[in-house]
C-alpha cells in the first residue's frame, strides 16, 4: 500500500513538472519601447505555442494522421502577433490603416505586412423590456435601440478591431515588433526575447 502511494506521488510530481515545462515552451519576455499608437492590447504567440495548439486541436477533433500533418505544416514559422486596434472611426481602427514590421535586434527588416481589411459590422442593437401592470393585466413592451461603440473615460467613441498577423519567416531569439498607425503617424514598439526553450 505504501509503495502504491509512493508511486502515485512520484507520478503526480512528474505530471506537475511536465505541465510546468509545457507552459514555458515558446515563452518570451516583452519589453515596451514605445507606446504612442492606439493599440489596446498586444500579444505574441510563438511558433511553439501555435504548434502545440494545432496539435491539441487535431487531438480534440480526432483528425487523421494526414490531416494532422497538414494542419501542423500550416503553422506560421514565426508565430503570430495578436492585437486590438482602436480608432475614433471604423477606418482608423481597421487593419488596413496599420502596418506591422518585424525586425531583428539591429533593425534589419524580417517581415512587413498591412493589417487585414474587415467589413464594418452593422450597428448592434439591444432589446429593452418595460413591464406595466394594470388592474386587469400585465403589458410587456419591447424596444430596440442601437448600441454605441465603446467610449473612453472622456466620452469619445472608440471602435475596436481584433487582428492577427501570421509571420511566415522563422525569427531569432530576440526581435522587435513595430505596429504603425498610418493615419495618425504614431507607433508602438516592443522587443521580445525568448525565455522558454
Amino acid at each position: 500500500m505504501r509503495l502504491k502511494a509512493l508511486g502515485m506521488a512520484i507520478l503526480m510530481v512528474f505530471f506537475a513538472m511536465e505541465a510546468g515545462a509545457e507552459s514555458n515552451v515558446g515563452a518570451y519576455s516583452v519589453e515596451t519601447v514605445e507606446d504612442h499608437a492606439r493599440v489596446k492590447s498586444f500579444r505574441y504567440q510563438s511558433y511553439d505555442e501555435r504548434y502545440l495548439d494545432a496539435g491539441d486541436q487535431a487531438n480534440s477533433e480526432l483528425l487523421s494522421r494526414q490531416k494532422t500533418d497538414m494542419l501542423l505544416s500550416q503553422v506560421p514559422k514565426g508565430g503570430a502577433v495578436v492585437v486590438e486596434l482602436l480608432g475614433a472611426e471604423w477606418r482608423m481602427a481597421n487593419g488596413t490603416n496599420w502596418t506591422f514590421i518585424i525586425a531583428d535586434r539591429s533593425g534589419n527588416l524580417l517581415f512587413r505586412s498591412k493589417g487585414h481589411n474587415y467589413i464594418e459590422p452593422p450597428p448592434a442593437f439591444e432589446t429593452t423590456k418595460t413591464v406595466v401592470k394594470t388592474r386587469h393585466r400585465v403589458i410587456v413592451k419591447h424596444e430596440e435601440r442601437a448600441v454605441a461603440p465603446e467610449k473612453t473615460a472622456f466620452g469619445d467613441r472608440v471602435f475596436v478591431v481584433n487582428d492577427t498577423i501570421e509571420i511566415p519567416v522563422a525569427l531569432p531569439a530576440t526581435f522587435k515588433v513595430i505596429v504603425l498607425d498610418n493615419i495618425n503617424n504614431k507607433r508602438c514598439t516592443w522587443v521580445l526575447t525568448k525565455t522558454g526553450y
Side-chain angles (χ1 to χ4, degrees):
M1 188 69 168
R2 276 182 137 176
L3 283 174
K4 190 174 180 182
L6 181 61
M8 288 298 288
I10 290 172
L11 275 175
M12 289 175 71
V13 169
F14 175 74
F15 286 131
M17 288 171 56
E18 284 292 308
E22 190 173 296
S23 67
N24 200 27
V25 171
Y28 281 78
S29 66
V30 179
E31 176 193 350
T32 303
V33 178
E34 291 179 280
D35 187 14
H36 303 298
R38 296 181 70 178
V39 178
K40 182 178 181 182
S41 68
F42 166 85
R43 176 164 145 53
Y44 174 68
Q45 297 174 332
S46 68
Y47 170 80
D48 296 331
E49 186 180 346
R50 288 184 67 107
Y51 190 89
L52 289 172
D53 287 346
D56 289 344
Q57 178 187 342
N59 286 337
S60 68
E61 294 178 9
L62 301 174
L63 297 181
S64 67
R65 185 75 213 148
Q66 183 180 9
K67 287 184 177 177
T68 298
D69 290 344
M70 188 174 75
L71 182 66
L72 294 175
S73 71
Q74 293 172 349
V75 175
K77 299 296 178 204
V81 170
V82 180
V83 290
E84 285 183 295
L85 307 170
L86 304 178
E89 303 170 22
W90 177 259
R91 72 182 181 94
M92 295 172 76
N94 196 11
T96 52
N97 172 49
W98 301 79
T99 302
F100 297 83
I101 298 170
I102 311 294
D104 65 15
R105 187 185 301 206
S106 304
N108 299 313
L109 181 68
L110 301 173
F111 174 72
R112 181 185 186 102
S113 174
K114 285 273 195 190
H116 296 95
N117 186 24
Y118 295 97
I119 297 170
E120 182 174 357
F125 289 87
E126 68 180 4
T127 303
T128 57
K129 146 173 124 167
T130 309
V131 178
V132 179
K133 292 183 182 178
T134 67
R135 186 186 299 187
H136 304 290
R137 63 189 175 131
V138 175
I139 301 170
V140 178
K141 293 181 183 175
H142 293 280
E143 293 178 7
E144 275 195 348
R145 66 182 180 93
V147 178
E150 289 187 33
K151 291 190 175 185
T152 67
F154 303 105
D156 299 326
R157 296 185 336 158
V158 178
F159 290 87
V160 182
V161 170
N162 296 298
D163 207 352
T164 300
I165 306 299
E166 295 187 339
I167 305 164
V169 296
L171 299 176
T174 299
F175 60 94
K176 295 178 185 176
V177 177
I178 302 163
V179 179
L180 300 170
D181 175 350
N182 298 319
I183 291 177
N184 296 309
N185 199 24
K186 305 272 187 190
R187 71 183 189 175
C188 291
T189 305
W190 297 271
V191 174
L192 287 84
T193 304
K194 190 167 187 175
T195 58
Y197 43 88

